[in-house]
């Protein structure tokens, strides 16, 4: 180990703040970087890049949804002495046609330093911290994934895998597909949230449901059609099979969605 720091990008986000906390609990110096965090970092403002990289030897790399990983920033990080990069990516990006994340993975693999890619499945925290929370509160979740089983994973487990890759040996050059301990349909996941929260929440999972919901929200029809096509490709992959990556990497079982939902409800995540 070293007295130099690990820079965590997106340090106020769902995984970034958890990575920051775990690193600090283990005694690692951390530069917690985000647009409104301890160290200001903005992908669109290269003037903030240098400060984030000060004295850093490792990096947790991610970008907000919709923003690319700028290869110039990764190159600058390596020039400044970053020796190990852990990238947050997503499962099935090839099927989904997610060129943003495919490009990010290529950038990291070609960086010339040690790298690990964490390909996470659907976050549990999407239901209480992310884009599904308003739908839970409104009583209806619409996502055109049908009854295919997904590997919903907790952000705590994603962070634990990332921290292991940042601080331990033996993870360089690996791409980890990170998922929860059992596969569920979206309807089962939503039912779990509804039961824990005490709310009535319906799940609608057809292309037609999604198209109607997006049209009602005023979404661009072309964008909606592209989203439906990508998620249709995801459905075509069939059911996920749990792979126990969290247990193998961290030495402890992954958190079940039932435990997540109970914890979130106890915090008041779905109170009005």
């Amino acid at each position: 180990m070293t007295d130099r720091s690990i820079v965590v990008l997106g340090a106020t986000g769902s995984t970034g703040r958890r990575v920051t906390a775990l690193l600090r609990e283990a005694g690692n110096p951390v530069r917690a970087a985000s647009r409104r965090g301890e160290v200001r970092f903005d992908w669109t403002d290269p003037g903030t890049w240098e400060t984030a990289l000060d004295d850093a030897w490792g990096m947790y790399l991610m970008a907000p949804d919709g923003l690319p990983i700028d290869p110039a920033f990764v190159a600058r990080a390596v020039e400044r002495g970053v020796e190990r990069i852990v990238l947050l990516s997503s499962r099935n990006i090839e099927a989904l046609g997610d060129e943003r994340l495919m490009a990010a993975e290529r950038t990291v693999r070609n960086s010339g330093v040690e790298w690990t890619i964490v390909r996470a499945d659907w976050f549990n925290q999407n239901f209480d911290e992310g884009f599904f929370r308003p739908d839970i509160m409104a009583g209806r979740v619409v996502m055109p994934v049908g009854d295919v089983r997904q590997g919903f994973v907790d952000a705590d487990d994603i962070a634990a895998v990332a921290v292991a890759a940042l601080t331990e040996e033996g993870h360089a050059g690996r791409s980890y597909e990170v998922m929860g301990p059992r596969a569920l349909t979206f309807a089962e996941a939503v039912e779990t949230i509804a039961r824990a929260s005490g709310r009535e929440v319906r799940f609608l999972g057809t292309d037609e449901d999604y198209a109607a919901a997006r049209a009602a929200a005023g979404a661009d029809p072309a964008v909606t059609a592209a989203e439906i096509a990508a998620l249709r490709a995801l459905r075509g992959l069939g059911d996920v099979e749990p792979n126990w990556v969290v247990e193998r990497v961290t030495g402890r079982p992954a958190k079940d969605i039932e435990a997540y939902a109970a914890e979130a409800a106890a915090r008041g995540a779905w109170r009005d």
Side-chain angles (χ1 to χ4, degrees):
M1 298 299 294
T2 172
D3 290 334
R4 294 167 61 205
S5 62
I6 297 173
V7 59
V8 176
L9 300 188
T12 57
S14 290
T15 61
R17 72 174 187 272
R18 290 170 166 87
V19 169
T20 297
L22 288 175
L23 288 170
R24 286 178 169 164
E25 285 172 13
N28 297 281
V30 176
R31 296 189 66 75
S34 66
R35 283 183 297 176
R36 297 176 181 85
E38 298 170 18
V39 177
R40 185 170 179 271
F41 177 85
D42 188 335
W43 281 104
T44 65
D45 181 3
T48 66
W49 295 0
E50 294 292 325
T51 303
L53 294 169
D54 278 350
D55 199 37
W57 75 271
M59 177 165 63
Y60 178 68
L61 178 64
M62 58 84 65
D65 187 38
L67 284 180
I69 299 291
D70 193 327
F73 172 74
V74 175
R76 186 61 182 141
V78 173
E79 290 172 5
R80 290 287 304 273
V82 168
E83 303 167 16
R84 182 175 295 179
I85 299 173
V86 173
L87 171 70
L88 177 64
S89 185
S90 182
R91 294 188 68 244
N92 301 320
I93 56 176
E94 292 83 5
L96 290 166
D98 192 334
E99 178 54 37
R100 179 182 72 97
L101 288 179
M102 287 190 281
E105 291 192 6
R106 289 193 297 270
T107 294
V108 168
R109 288 192 179 100
N110 295 329
S111 64
V113 297
E114 291 185 1
W115 58 265
T116 306
I117 295 169
V118 177
R119 282 187 156 201
D121 214 319
W122 297 90
F123 288 21
N124 290 343
Q125 278 69 19
N126 287 336
F127 292 110
D128 75 305
E129 298 178 16
F131 51 87
F132 287 133
R133 187 181 185 276
D135 299 333
I136 295 293
M137 302 303 289
R140 190 180 74 160
V141 175
V142 185
M143 183 58 53
V145 290
D147 59 0
V148 172
R149 294 184 178 276
Q150 312 288 338
F152 295 93
V153 62
D154 201 86
D156 287 348
D157 293 326
I158 298 167
V161 170
V163 168
L166 283 164
T167 61
E168 299 172 2
E169 300 303 319
H171 303 288
R174 295 180 180 270
S175 182
Y176 290 126
E177 296 204 344
V178 184
M179 62 185 75
R182 61 190 174 107
L184 301 91
T185 66
F186 246 90
E188 289 170 336
V190 169
E191 182 183 355
T192 300
I193 304 304
R195 188 166 55 249
S197 66
R199 309 184 73 89
E200 291 187 9
V201 189
R202 300 169 58 211
F203 173 69
L204 302 174
T206 70
D207 293 351
E208 293 75 18
D209 292 329
Y210 188 76
R214 297 303 294 149
D220 183 334
V223 173
T224 298
E227 292 169 345
I228 289 172
L231 290 162
R232 186 181 298 131
L234 179 65
R235 290 201 309 266
L237 297 177
D239 292 343
V240 163
E241 292 291 337
N243 60 9
W244 317 115
V245 161
V246 172
E247 190 167 16
R248 293 203 309 270
V249 173
T250 70
R252 60 166 178 74
K255 184 184 296 184
D256 189 82
I257 195 170
E258 295 274 3
Y260 149 75
E263 292 171 4
R267 291 194 305 270
W270 299 293
R271 290 181 192 148
D272 291 320

